[in-house]
Amino acid sequence: STLFPYTTLFRSDFMANVKYYPEDVLVEKVQSGEYGWLDYINHHSPEWQEEYTAFCKERDLIVNEESAEEFVDWKGEQIEAGE
């Protein structure tokens, strides 16, 4: 899979030290303001990081809070639909 150049830069250092959290912990961190949606994705799972990168690329979106929130909403709809 091809990543955006800035995503590769962003990920290389980050990925070595990333800590993943259960969803309930992530929700608390977002609600408290400690994390934004980009943090939510990056600390959810490597799969979500890859899916988010593909999501942005397919839609010509840049990696930022707005597209991260769109992705989380999209994932929620997929989960509710049982996909």
Side-chain angles (χ1 to χ4, degrees), residues 24-72:
D24 57 330
V25 172
L26 290 170
V27 169
E28 284 175 23
K29 287 178 176 290
V30 169
Q31 288 175 340
S32 73
E34 181 183 346
Y35 275 12
W37 290 113
L38 208 46
D39 297 314
Y40 184 97
I41 292 166
N42 283 320
H43 293 280
H44 186 283
S45 64
E47 294 77 19
W48 271 43
Q49 292 169 352
E50 288 175 23
E51 284 183 56
Y52 172 59
T53 301
F55 178 88
C56 288
K57 192 172 182 182
E58 287 164 12
R59 291 162 177 79
D60 268 343
L61 300 171
I62 58 169
V63 171
N64 62 15
E65 281 301 309
E66 191 178 334
S67 65
E69 187 173 4
E70 281 180 47
F71 173 78
V72 173

